[in-house]
Amino acid sequence: MAKRVLVIGSANIDFIVRTPYVPERGETLVAEGGYSLMPGGKGANTAVAVSRLGAQVVFCSRVGDDAYGERLKKIYAENGIDLRFVRTDKVGQTGLAVILVENDGSNRIIVYPGANMRISEGDVESAFTCCPDAVMAQLESGEDVAVYASQLAADEAIPFILDGGGARSDFRLNKLAKVDIFSPNEIETALITGIRPDTLDDCLRASMAICSQTDVRYVVLKLGARGCYVYDGKYCDLIAPFVVQAVDTTAAGDAFTAALATEFLRTGDITASARYANAVGALTVTTAGAIHSLPTRETVRRFLEQI
Ligand code: RIB
């Protein structure tokens, strides 16, 4: 039977503009790459990715009492997600991300969190009544919620997987209870540890710095086109990437962690799960948008078969 994963985190509408380069201060750039409004948010991207990869998903979040909120909830339902704990907030607007995507697929994101910042400890506590097999969170909807979720997961002895998305430089990992998998990208690793994971030596130093702050079973650094780096407190491994033509890297990190968690829950093998997550991340960058780009389990199977 499929595992039940509780995903706690943000739901956004993404306002995406394609641009040949990022304009300087005071410059007006007329970019003709088009724009779109699409569903996103690190929490929602994770929830949809986990669902498409075959696990049951319960999503805990807040959207605004507006047209975007309704639109997002409809999309989550279409993706088979349990919405009982997605609340419509009467105060905050639905979260909005403004995303600039350059020709090489790289992105820059500014998030107005709105209703996401109103996800409360009470929301998290209620969502735990779904009896999850594992809990996933990110840091975009406030650290306190992630910290509280880690405590409840530790109390119930269920795996807690934290993505570093949304981390701020003042975030201290030592507030977290036990973390089974912590997966930051390069920027988040540098923000949290002060070490940019440029070389293998830097990756090891950053991973050790993370483990010295809190009880983490596996650190998995997302290194973009360089693949990922796995550290279990004793051994480390650089897992090679799948080379693809990047169109838009938005949500690749969310998809990666979703795949890592889903596959790890299924197999218990962190190295094989990291390779699988590399494949899912690679597939995600080949399509524009966040939720729109997330592959299904069948798509991943066919991709790996071709390789
Ligand atoms: O990780 C990508 C996501 O970051 C986007 O979908 C955007 O909403 C921001 O949350």
Side-chain angles (χ1 to χ4, degrees), residues 185-210 213 221:
N185 70 14
E186 292 154 293
I187 301 277
E188 294 146 7
T189 301
L191 279 173
I192 291 169
T193 65
I195 302 165
R196 276 196 66 97
D198 291 334
T199 65
L200 282 181
D201 188 45
D202 297 332
C203 288
L204 180 60
R205 287 192 305 118
S207 301
M208 289 171 73
I210 287 167
Q213 288 183 38
L221 306 181

Side-chain angles (χ1 to χ4, degrees), residues 10-14 39-43 45 96-99 107 109-111 140 249-254 290-291:
S10 56
N12 292 337
I13 276 285
D14 290 352
K42 296 188 192 304
N45 297 342
L96 173 79
V98 177
I99 306 181
N107 64 47
I109 304 179
I110 301 173
V111 172
E140 190 175 63
T249 55
T250 308
D254 309 329
I291 282 178

Side-chain angles (χ1 to χ4, degrees), residues 256-280:
F256 175 97
T257 308
L260 182 69
T262 311
E263 202 56 11
F264 183 72
L265 290 171
R266 208 176 64 81
T267 64
D269 181 336
I270 194 71
T271 308
S273 303
R275 183 173 182 271
Y276 186 82
N278 273 351
V280 171

Side-chain angles (χ1 to χ4, degrees), residues 244 251-253 255-256 259 276-286 295:
V244 290
F256 175 97
Y276 186 82
N278 273 351
V280 171
L283 279 167
T284 303
V285 306
T286 60

Side-chain angles (χ1 to χ4, degrees), residues 209-268:
I210 287 167
C211 290
S212 71
Q213 288 183 38
T214 192
D215 182 4
V216 181
R217 186 168 169 208
Y218 297 111
V219 176
V220 182
L221 306 181
K222 291 179 275 200
L223 303 176
R226 292 184 293 144
C228 68
Y229 181 90
V230 180
Y231 177 68
D232 69 358
K234 186 171 177 187
Y235 298 106
C236 56
D237 212 348
L238 180 69
I239 315 288
F242 293 90
V243 180
V244 290
Q245 183 67 47
V247 173
D248 179 358
T249 55
T250 308
D254 309 329
F256 175 97
T257 308
L260 182 69
T262 311
E263 202 56 11
F264 183 72
L265 290 171
R266 208 176 64 81
T267 64

